Amino acid sequence: MEANFFDRVYEVVRQIPEGKVTSYGAIAKALGAARSARMVGWAMNASHNMDDVPAHRVVNRIGMLSGKHHFEGTNLMQQLLENEGIKVEDNQIVDFEKHFWQPKVSGNK
């Protein structure tokens, strides 16, 4: 049975190492759906009750915490990132390039 797009997104997100982040677009590109960054965002929004999906490690292409309003509490996304050693100022990751993790492009399953 082929995994649906959201499941494939979650597979990639689960691979993001602690202390690293990636972008919606990088995940979409790795899944062979380069123009589907918004769909990756929808998948992340649907992952709230999935403790094994570190959604806080997915940000927009310039390192902004664009999905932070989907987390409980005012600064939960930022707190989770800072607990992993990632500094955040004004809702943006400091040294984004240093913390960026590039997902590996996978073939279709």
Side-chain angles (χ1 to χ4, degrees):
M1 183 169 104
E2 184 174 330
N4 71 32
F5 186 77
F6 281 21
D7 290 334
R8 292 172 59 216
V9 168
Y10 304 145
E11 285 176 28
V12 173
V13 175
R14 286 182 187 109
Q15 296 172 34
I16 305 169
E18 186 173 321
K20 295 289 184 181
V21 294
T22 197
S23 68
Y24 303 101
I27 293 170
K29 186 175 181 183
L31 294 175
R35 300 179 61 88
S36 298
R38 187 168 304 227
M39 280 184 63
V40 172
W42 293 338
M44 298 316 327
N45 189 31
S47 73
H48 290 302
N49 296 325
M50 303 171 85
D51 293 336
D52 64 330
V53 177
H56 63 283
R57 296 181 187 150
V58 183
V59 296
N60 79 4
R61 64 186 170 86
I62 59 169
M64 294 289 294
L65 310 190
S66 53
K68 77 177 225 147
H69 59 281
H70 294 292
F71 287 80
E72 289 183 19
T74 4
N75 285 317
L76 181 58
M77 183 177 188
Q78 179 172 335
Q79 290 168 356
L80 291 169
L81 290 168
E82 288 176 343
N83 288 347
E84 296 183 9
I86 298 174
K87 187 174 180 184
V88 177
E89 287 180 0
D90 296 322
N91 295 320
Q92 187 158 11
I93 292 174
V94 177
D95 294 327
F96 179 53
E97 297 78 19
K98 176 182 137 190
H99 296 291
F100 187 79
W101 176 79
Q102 183 66 51
K104 294 194 177 24
V105 176
S106 66
N108 292 334
K109 292 184 179 182

